[in-house]
Amino acid sequence: MRHSSGPACRAWAAHRVRPLNALVAQFLRDWRIALRSRHEMTTPLMFFAVVVMLFPLAISPEPEQLAAIAPGVIWVLALLASLLSLEGLFKRDFSDGSLEQMVLSAEPLFLAVVGKLLAHWCAASLPLVIFAPIAALALSLPLEALSTLLASLLLGTPTVACLGAVGAALTVSLGRGGMLLALIVMPLYIPVLIFGTSATSFAVAGLSVAGPLAWLAVLAGLSLTLAPFAVSAAIRMACEE
Amino acid sequence: MSELSTPSNPRVLSSMPLCRAIGLRCERGGRELFSDLSFTLDRGVMLELRGPNGSGKSTLLRALAGLYPDVDGEIDTCDLAYFGHRGGLSPTLTVAENLAWFSGLAGTTADDVPGLLRRVGVPYPNRPLSELSAGQQRRVGLARLMMTGERKPLWLLDEPLTALDSAGEALVGELIDEHLACGGGVVCATHQDLPVVPGLRIELGH
Amino acid sequence: MSNQLSGLDRVFVELGEWLCGFGDGACMSGYGAYVWLSVLVTVVAIAINIWLPIRARRRWLARQRDEHELRAAQASGDRADA
Amino acid sequence: MGMLKTFWHRLGSPPWMYGIARPWMWGFGVLAAVLIPAGLIWGLFIAPPDYQQSDAFRIIYVHVPTAILAQSCYLMIGIAGFVHLVWRMKLADVVLQEALVIGASLTALALITGSVWGRPMWGTWWEWDARTTSMLILLFLYFGIYALREAIPRPDSRARASALLAVVGLINIPIIKYSVEWWRTLHQPSTFSMVEQPKMPAEMYLPLLVLVLGFYAFMGAVLLARIRVELLNRESGSSWAQAEARRLLSS
């Protein structure tokens, strides 16, 4: 079937207001929803805290051993926590029809998707980054490495949010997409995990952290520009039921 | 709402048709819903889709909206607003926030929201949507249609009269009349009779 | 190779020696077991990959045959009723 | 240019594809039946032993072709996904679905032969070497697409969703490979790794080339065979499939 928006109504679209209106409107909407359903922001944090506590009990309380695994543990848990928050990213909008309205918006879907991703990042990843120092202290990560850990988390989580959003959009129309989402998205997280953990362990070892952080920035740039297109395509597919 | 074209100053509009469908054919679950369906919707005309449940009315509407690709044939439409069973409003937000979001998506400004809400009979901009009744939520959906009417000349309405009282049905009639007067077009799938006389009528599923 | 041989390694070592009994082509200076195992696994995988489409094709044909007979039976049934 | 366009257009019609695939399938099949045994015999018996690993290195004649095939299969899946997303060609979805199974089996095979080769060389069944790790990740990418296809009931949304995931996966593969290799050089670089293979002399390299070509031909033949059966399955209601059924049943 060929479906196209014909030139019929160019006369109507004369008065565009502010092109970024869609992005800001979508961001504000999702940010308000995230604030209102606060449990969706705190659950990933609780999960993060509880599981961080398990490691000293499981492996050993000695600071040296904990410090060695601290970057890896924090980063792996940040990825797992992001999976929890991704589950509900599109599920609610899909069920109450908002996703359809996004697809049918006069403004390009790309803008709304970027707005939604930014809101998801602020609601899901920022609390993690704010909570990470406490987890780092709990795992006796050397203090000089803390700033690098935060930098790597800040640079890495946009990529995690964007790639996760692609997986979430692909599995939104499936009832129980949880495990499938993890299987689809985890292999794509590997580069972020590698560069994130090595940036922090470089800092622990006192080496220069410019390399891995630069790579994280490259990945963030790539995913922020490319992923919204994939997410838009996936959302259109989900709505075509 | 000044930019919105109101009945008092319908602007001169090109005569291009709003929606053209050629040779539409759809099969669902092995059963043929409709075949070789063609029509052209010009400005100021309402197309009414009639037919029993499961005759493909909603499927045709979703196909026109581009939300259902499994339809053979050619569809050419302009920007459109889809008013389906699922209201597309999020319950945790207030009415005003929902409308602000829609105006952002449609790229228009929504300055006179209280006036709009009074018009559709739900004058509580700051009340969360979850506290409103189903009929009131449908009315907020109608407010959404009115607000984006300027950018989206074609309205696709899927049984707009459900959950609406008699005053609501009259409201729907008024809105459709206004929209048609401003040079918009409406495709409406319905069971009850609409207070508006349809320019075109298609029977499905016989 | 590590001296304390685990169960699996002992199997490979003995297999290697047994293979060496068949001349150096099979012995591969002691590594015969590993080489021939991987070759065997590859050949089995190739065989499975070849066999799968053939089986799928046979199944499709069988289904067509059943449908064919069903239609023929119905046709003759209708003729009988008429 | 017209010829290419008609070829592209015809690719969309299953009966033409079903017909044209038959000679190519047999051609590739015969090619593989000649090249693979010849390459194996040449590699396993005639080629000189490696000075370092002696005869254990002969496993590369089986491991390297499957590893190369596994990756080029994913590349084909990514391209098929892209073609399906852009031109909505049903054939691309059939190619994607069938190449998925072949690719996953070849990746698993490469991992098995890789670990069997690791034992005599590194003394461990599994070594987190850059290539084995990225091969393992590739296997999970395959499983991801396979699981997504199994989870979506409707045929066309299943096709488009897995096509999109294939393209996204393909874009990420170079990044994943680079980051795994970077990660590998970060931790103690293994004394001997498959990557820095000393430049192989001709008589060792040629059988490998023959085997790689043989495996490509084998994959082509099996893929075309599977495509033909899948076309029959998907279009069994259509007239050409019924005609084919009658022809086969009568013979």
Side-chain angles (χ1 to χ4, degrees):
Chain A
M1 175 197 79
R2 199 177 63 76
H3 186 281
S4 64
S5 302
C9 349
R10 272 306 148 263
W12 284 87
H15 68 293
R16 283 285 281 284
V17 183
R18 287 184 306 281
L20 286 189
N21 205 344
L23 190 146
V24 170
Q26 183 70 41
F27 175 81
L28 289 177
R29 173 197 180 256
D30 277 275
W31 178 245
R32 285 195 194 107
I33 291 181
L35 287 185
R36 297 243 165 89
S37 53
R38 191 138 324 46
H39 68 279
E40 274 179 29
M41 280 169 73
T42 50
T43 319
L45 273 182
M46 296 303 151
F47 165 85
F48 189 85
V50 164
V51 179
V52 161
M53 182 189 69
L54 298 184
F55 279 88
L57 300 171
I59 299 178
S60 87
E62 270 83 16
E64 311 79 26
Q65 286 193 319
L66 281 182
I69 59 164
V73 163
I74 291 175
W75 258 98
V76 168
L77 293 187
L79 295 184
L80 295 179
S82 90
L83 278 185
L84 289 181
S85 54
L86 274 175
E87 188 64 33
L89 181 60
F90 293 112
K91 199 75 80 186
R92 242 190 342 282
D93 294 344
F94 181 73
S95 54
D96 61 27
S98 315
L99 217 51
E100 275 165 9
Q101 297 307 330
M102 267 172 74
V103 168
L104 292 174
S105 68
E107 296 290 273
L109 180 57
F110 174 90
L111 291 173
V113 164
V114 171
K116 196 168 184 52
L117 287 182
L118 288 180
H120 168 68
W121 183 70
C122 295
S125 303
L126 272 190
L128 276 183
V129 174
I130 294 159
F131 184 79
I134 303 165
L137 288 181
L139 297 174
S140 60
L141 184 78
L143 285 184
E144 65 273 9
L146 197 54
S147 61
T148 316
L149 173 70
L150 293 186
S152 68
L153 280 173
L154 273 175
L155 279 173
T157 39
T159 316
V160 168
C162 290
L163 290 177
V166 174
L170 280 174
T171 57
V172 67
S173 54
L174 312 174
R176 21 105 203 94
M179 280 309 113
L180 179 62
L181 175 64
L183 176 61
I184 288 176
V185 163
M186 271 310 171
L188 306 178
Y189 281 165
I190 285 172
V192 178
L193 179 69
I194 288 176
F195 291 125
T197 40
S198 49
T200 323
S201 39
F202 274 20
V204 170
L207 304 167
S208 94
V209 293
L213 287 185
W215 264 108
L216 281 177
V218 164
L219 292 182
L222 254 175
S223 52
L224 271 174
T225 44
L226 293 181
F229 290 108
V231 175
S232 314
I235 287 178
R236 270 185 231 284
M237 291 178 205
C239 290
E240 281 163 0
E241 279 316 312
Chain B
M1 288 259 276
S2 57
E3 285 99 357
L4 290 185
S5 77
T6 50
S8 56
N9 61 22
R11 291 187 277 121
V12 174
L13 302 160
S14 69
S15 63
M16 290 281 289
L18 291 177
C19 168
R20 193 181 314 114
I22 301 158
L24 295 190
R25 198 189 79 77
C26 173
E27 209 182 274
R28 194 168 188 168
R31 209 164 43 78
E32 192 174 78
L33 293 180
F34 48 79
S35 70
D36 198 13
L37 181 68
S38 304
F39 63 86
T40 307
L41 188 72
D42 296 322
R43 299 188 165 283
V45 173
M46 180 173 106
L47 163 64
E48 189 178 277
L49 301 177
R50 280 297 177 115
N53 291 44
S55 58
K57 301 197 299 296
S58 299
T59 311
L60 177 58
L61 271 183
R62 287 183 73 85
L64 292 177
L67 292 177
Y68 191 77
D70 276 359
V71 171
D72 305 332
E74 216 178 294
I75 291 177
D76 188 1
T77 66
C78 56
D79 283 345
L80 52 87
Y82 176 70
F83 184 72
H85 299 300
R86 292 185 297 197
L89 307 161
S90 38
T92 49
L93 289 179
T94 70
V95 174
E97 281 159 357
N98 265 306
L99 292 181
W101 172 49
F102 279 121
S103 71
L105 281 188
T108 58
T109 54
D111 32 28
D112 182 11
V113 169
L116 198 63
L117 288 177
R118 262 196 310 280
R119 173 76 197 284
V120 292
V122 184
Y124 333 104
N126 299 322
R127 184 178 295 184
L129 211 73
S130 45
E131 289 169 11
L132 298 183
S133 74
Q136 286 168 324
Q137 291 190 10
R138 295 288 285 186
R139 286 165 177 263
V140 174
L142 291 176
R144 165 169 65 85
L145 271 182
M146 282 173 60
M147 199 168 54
T148 58
E150 175 67 22
R151 273 300 299 282
K152 303 187 175 183
L154 178 61
W155 284 1
L156 304 179
L157 311 176
D158 201 347
E159 280 153 21
L161 304 184
T162 49
L164 283 183
D165 50 26
S166 53
E169 283 166 17
L171 174 66
V172 169
E174 283 163 35
L175 296 185
I176 290 180
D177 279 335
E178 265 177 42
H179 187 63
L180 295 183
C182 304
V186 172
V187 178
C188 175
T190 180
H191 290 295
Q192 305 120 322
D193 284 337
L194 277 168
V196 181
V197 174
L200 278 167
R201 178 194 285 264
I202 292 181
E203 276 290 324
L204 286 179
H206 43 69
Chain C
M1 295 228 285
S2 59
N3 40 39
Q4 25 83 11
L5 294 173
S6 65
L8 193 58
D9 294 320
R10 204 170 305 111
V11 165
F12 269 91
V13 169
E14 276 146 24
L15 196 58
E17 278 138 20
W18 175 69
L19 273 172
C20 280
F22 297 88
D24 63 350
C27 178
M28 301 247 179
S29 55
Y31 297 110
Y34 300 104
V35 175
W36 288 114
L37 172 70
S38 40
V39 169
L40 180 68
V41 165
T42 308
V43 166
V44 164
I46 287 179
I48 291 174
N49 268 315
I50 290 175
W51 179 64
L52 284 177
I54 294 172
R55 185 183 66 165
R57 192 182 173 81
R58 268 205 213 107
R59 281 208 183 137
W60 177 78
L61 214 53
R63 247 201 333 266
Q64 294 305 319
R65 186 176 297 115
D66 300 345
E67 268 169 35
H68 213 62
E69 273 141 21
L70 194 66
R71 248 182 272 115
Q74 260 171 0
S76 60
D78 301 345
R79 266 199 304 278
D81 304 340
Chain D
M1 193 42 203
M3 234 290 289
L4 194 64
K5 196 155 178 346
T6 49
F7 174 77
W8 182 261
H9 178 66
R10 279 230 203 96
L11 266 184
S13 83
W16 181 82
M17 185 62 206
Y18 182 81
I20 198 75
R22 184 177 163 71
W24 284 96
M25 176 180 78
W26 282 109
F28 282 133
V30 164
L31 197 62
V34 167
L35 287 180
I36 292 183
L40 274 181
I41 293 165
W42 187 355
L44 294 181
F45 298 110
I46 301 159
D50 177 67
Y51 66 92
Q52 240 178 352
Q53 307 167 30
S54 76
D55 286 311
F57 98 103
R58 293 184 194 281
I59 299 182
I60 66 159
Y61 289 122
V62 179
H63 171 68
V64 168
T66 42
I68 292 174
L69 257 296
Q71 284 159 26
S72 45
C73 230
Y74 197 90
L75 178 65
M76 182 165 60
I77 285 174
I79 292 170
F82 178 76
V83 164
H84 184 74
L85 278 181
V86 173
W87 288 285
R88 292 247 167 142
M89 199 186 281
K90 283 199 174 51
L91 181 73
D93 178 51
V94 172
V95 167
L96 189 142
Q97 175 180 326
E98 299 312 323
L100 202 59
V101 179
I102 301 176
S105 61
L106 287 175
T107 318
L109 185 62
L111 282 172
I112 294 168
T113 50
S115 78
V116 166
W117 186 24
R119 183 70 186 96
M121 255 195 359
W122 295 318
T124 60
W125 286 106
W126 176 256
E127 163 67 28
W128 287 99
D129 173 73
R131 283 160 52 132
T132 39
T133 316
S134 28
M135 193 62 70
L136 186 62
I137 298 167
L138 185 66
L139 188 64
F140 287 125
L141 286 174
Y142 275 115
F143 287 160
I145 300 181
Y146 191 78
L148 183 65
R149 283 188 76 91
E150 293 299 313
I152 299 179
R154 273 166 49 89
D156 47 274
S157 31
R158 167 198 311 157
R160 279 200 303 281
S162 51
L164 181 70
L165 185 58
V167 171
V168 168
L170 187 63
I171 293 172
N172 276 285
I173 276 200
I175 304 169
I176 292 175
K177 276 183 96 61
Y178 174 77
S179 57
V180 167
E181 261 140 36
W182 183 84
W183 163 74
R184 190 58 205 162
T185 55
L186 183 67
H187 297 277
Q188 27 76 13
S190 64
T191 52
F192 175 86
S193 87
M194 289 196 245
V195 177
E196 298 92 22
Q197 191 86 354
K199 189 68 200 73
M200 280 202 281
E203 66 273 9
M204 271 196 209
Y205 186 74
L206 281 177
L208 188 59
L209 191 61
V210 165
L211 270 168
V212 167
L213 292 178
F215 267 77
Y216 266 114
F218 157 72
M219 188 191 75
V222 170
L223 182 65
L224 287 174
R226 294 179 74 101
I227 286 175
R228 294 182 79 224
V229 177
E230 184 59 17
L231 283 176
L232 285 178
N233 278 325
R234 289 192 183 195
E235 310 261 339
S236 49
S238 69
S239 55
W240 68 273
Q242 291 306 324
E244 180 68 10
R246 275 192 300 275
R247 189 180 66 78
L248 290 173
L249 287 178
S250 57
S251 69

